[in-house]
Structure formats: structure tokens, C-alpha cells
Amino acid sequence: MIQSPEVQAAKSRAALLSIASNTILTVIKLIIGIMMQSVSVISEAVHSGLDLVAAVIAWFAVCKSGKPADDEHRFGHGKIENVAGTVEAILIFGAAFYIIWEAVHKLRSGTVEIESLGLGAAIMAVSAIANYLVSRNLLNVAIKTDSVALEADAMHLRADVYTSVGVLGGLVAIKLTGIAMLDPIIAIIVALMIIKAAWDLTKTAFFHILDVKLPDDEEALIHDVMASYSGRFIEYHKLRTRKSGHVRHIDMHLVVPKQMTVEAGHLLSHQITADIENCLPHSHILVHIEPCPGGCESCAVECPKIFVNSSAGS
């Protein structure tokens, strides 16, 4: 299932904006962090650097995931976004453990000297504002296009907002108290927040590679649609759902009256499919029609649901 060129262009623009923003912030944070000799500010530079890598991966993923299905990828290329999100999560975990390692080293050595606190506080404030604006744009586009890669990138930047605010508060605390040892302690807190963001991202991206079912609220919409047609079929079973990038794959077995014609069964499955697609956009739905084996008293003459179906179709 291919998204329109306009949607693909919107996704690409959002990813490129993230790349530009992260490039600028990474360079500035790194320069100022080295000047200040602040492990918390340098940790923020590392975080932004990995966000830059993640933004590049997200841009690549959204460009490739929109490609149509081919002979080697019969279900399309949607899972490229899930792979990209998983790689981004691994990068975030790595950054967090690196920050903790550096902070623990500072605590053990007992030598922490920080300079230019005002400059560091200023860049943290600018970083928090810039990342909030870019992440909000990314998340809006991700929701509209159902893009896992852009959602992952937005989560990265939103985590950066929180960590930047945390580092900013720490620098202010150091300025007020004069206790420079607060710097590595803040860095560890920042790292723990990053680990939480990485785990949330892992749940969003990686688990869909394993073909976990759609969320309960989305499956509930499918059941609601089926309930609205309950008078026109016997029952349905073997409902299976999964997600590949922005595309939802849904299939089920639908048991219909044995007297129902092929044409009527096809029409019923088409109507059900259309209603599910209205509730869950970007869905690829397969309905397998099965005849009822009969056996109940009403089937001895004719299934009463045939009349319901006939009146609905007329």
C-alpha cells in the first residue's frame, strides 16, 4: 500500500528539518561542553549527536518505506521503518551507558571543574526550545502519516527536551550552591531518562518486527465493525492482525450461510473491508469466506440471514 507523493514529501521534509536542527545543536553543545569541561553538557552533545544519526536513519527509512511491493518484497517495504526505529533505540541505549560511564568516572576521581555556567545554561535553554518545536512538528506528521520512524525521531527529541531542562536545572543549582559534583550526578539522571525513552521506543518499533497484534483499541474497532454486520453472517474467527511500517495487515475467516451466492459473499466482504479501512486507514484486509456447515433447524429450509442479506442489498 503506497502513500501519496504529498504524504511522502511531508515525511521527508519533517525528517530533513530534524537533521538540520540536530546538526546545529550537536556542534554547539559539544563546543560549549568542552569549553566548560562539563560532563552533563557533553552528555547532552552525545545525545544530540545520536539524535542526528537517528534523524538520518529516519529520513532514509521514510524515503524507502514508501516504495511499492516488488518480487522480493511482496508485502512492501514498510518494515524498514520498524528496523530504523529499532536501530535508533539501540543507539540511545548506547549513549545512555556511555554517559553513565563518564559520570561515574568523574565521581570516582573526585575532580569536577566547570566554567562558563551562564553559557551552558543558555545553550540548554535554546536546545530545549528548539527540540520541543521540532519534535512537535515530527509528532504531528508521524500521527498524520502513521510513520514509526518519524515517531521514533520525535521521541528522541522529546527526551532531549526533558534532559536539556534537567541539565539546565543542574547548572543553575551548581551556580547557586557552588557544588560542582552535582554535574556528574545530573548526567546519570539524564542517562536514566534516556534509557526510559529508549525502552519506550523499543516497544513501539521492535515488537512490530515480531508481528505482534495491533493494539487492543484498534482491534476493538474491528470487532465493532463486525458487530454492525452480525445479522448478515454466521460468525467470524481466526482474526489475525499485525503492522508493517504504516500499513496494518488484517485477515479473518468469515462464515456465511451456505445458501449465500459467491457474489453476495464477495459484496459482504467488500463492505466489511471498506468499513474497517474507514476506521483504520492504511489497512490491507483479507477476508476468507467459508460456508456454514448447517445443522440447525432453520437451515433445514433456508438460513434466515439470507433474507437479511437480500433486503440489505436491495
Side-chain angles (χ1 to χ4, degrees):
M1 187 168 293
I2 307 172
Q3 290 187 330
S4 68
E6 292 79 12
V7 171
Q8 285 298 118
K11 291 166 68 175
S12 181
R13 284 195 301 270
L16 288 173
L17 176 62
S18 178
I19 291 174
S21 172
N22 279 305
T23 299
I24 295 171
L25 290 177
T26 298
V27 173
I28 295 176
K29 286 180 182 179
L30 186 59
I31 292 173
I32 293 178
I34 293 173
M35 289 172 54
M36 295 175 59
Q37 301 180 34
S38 168
V39 68
S40 62
V41 175
I42 292 175
S43 72
E44 272 292 283
V46 172
H47 190 188
S48 292
L50 286 176
D51 279 348
L52 173 58
V53 175
V56 173
I57 294 173
W59 173 77
F60 175 81
V62 298
C63 290
K64 296 297 182 182
S65 64
K67 292 175 59 179
D70 53 36
D71 289 339
E72 293 187 1
H73 306 89
R74 300 292 176 88
F75 290 94
H77 298 76
K79 284 200 174 180
I80 291 177
E81 292 203 26
N82 300 100
V83 174
T86 302
V87 172
E88 292 175 38
I90 294 172
L91 290 175
I92 298 177
F93 276 121
F97 292 129
Y98 169 76
I99 292 169
I100 292 174
W101 185 85
E102 285 288 341
V104 170
H105 176 71
K106 285 273 188 179
L107 288 173
R108 286 180 175 177
S109 65
T111 56
V112 179
E113 297 180 3
I114 301 178
E115 302 173 359
S116 306
L117 287 173
L119 186 59
I123 186 57
M124 288 301 104
V126 170
S127 175
I129 294 172
N131 281 329
Y132 173 75
L133 294 175
V134 176
S135 67
R136 186 175 66 177
N137 176 67
L138 280 170
L139 195 57
N140 287 338
V141 176
I143 292 173
K144 291 178 181 178
T145 62
D146 209 0
S147 171
V148 175
L150 290 184
E151 181 184 359
D153 203 10
M155 290 174 65
H156 287 182
L157 296 186
R158 192 56 59 91
D160 248 357
V161 173
Y162 300 142
T163 56
S164 293
V165 171
V167 172
L168 173 60
L171 294 177
V172 172
I174 293 172
K175 180 69 173 179
L176 294 176
T177 64
I179 304 175
M181 196 60 69
L182 288 173
D183 184 62
I185 295 174
I186 294 167
I188 292 175
I189 295 173
V190 167
L192 294 176
M193 294 175 67
I194 294 173
I195 290 174
K196 173 62 168 58
W199 174 245
D200 290 340
L201 177 56
T202 300
K203 292 190 293 184
T204 300
F206 176 72
F207 289 163
H208 280 302
I209 295 178
L210 302 179
D211 286 339
V212 297
K213 72 179 187 66
L214 294 179
D216 290 341
D217 58 335
E218 294 190 3
E219 286 205 344
L221 293 175
I222 298 173
H223 292 304
D224 289 343
V225 170
M226 299 307 295
S228 69
Y229 286 91
S230 60
R232 298 176 60 183
F233 62 84
I234 307 301
E235 56 99 4
Y236 66 98
H237 57 273
K238 291 187 178 179
L239 173 65
R240 299 190 304 175
T241 63
R242 66 184 179 92
K243 197 172 185 182
S244 176
H246 69 282
V247 180
R248 298 171 177 85
H249 292 273
I250 303 167
D251 62 76
M252 70 180 77
H253 289 210
L254 184 69
V255 180
V256 299
K258 63 181 180 179
Q259 300 93 341
M260 182 177 286
T261 65
V262 173
E263 181 181 4
H266 174 74
L267 175 62
L268 176 59
S269 66
H270 181 75
Q271 292 171 336
I272 290 173
T273 296
D275 282 0
I276 293 176
E277 287 178 344
N278 286 334
C279 297
L280 298 172
H282 315 302
S283 293
H284 184 277
I285 305 166
L286 176 63
V287 178
H288 173 71
I289 300 293
E290 294 181 358
C292 176
C296 59
E297 292 183 2
S298 58
C299 269
V301 181
E302 186 174 31
C303 179
K305 295 194 176 186
I306 285 290
F307 296 107
V308 175
N309 181 66
S310 299
S311 60
S314 59

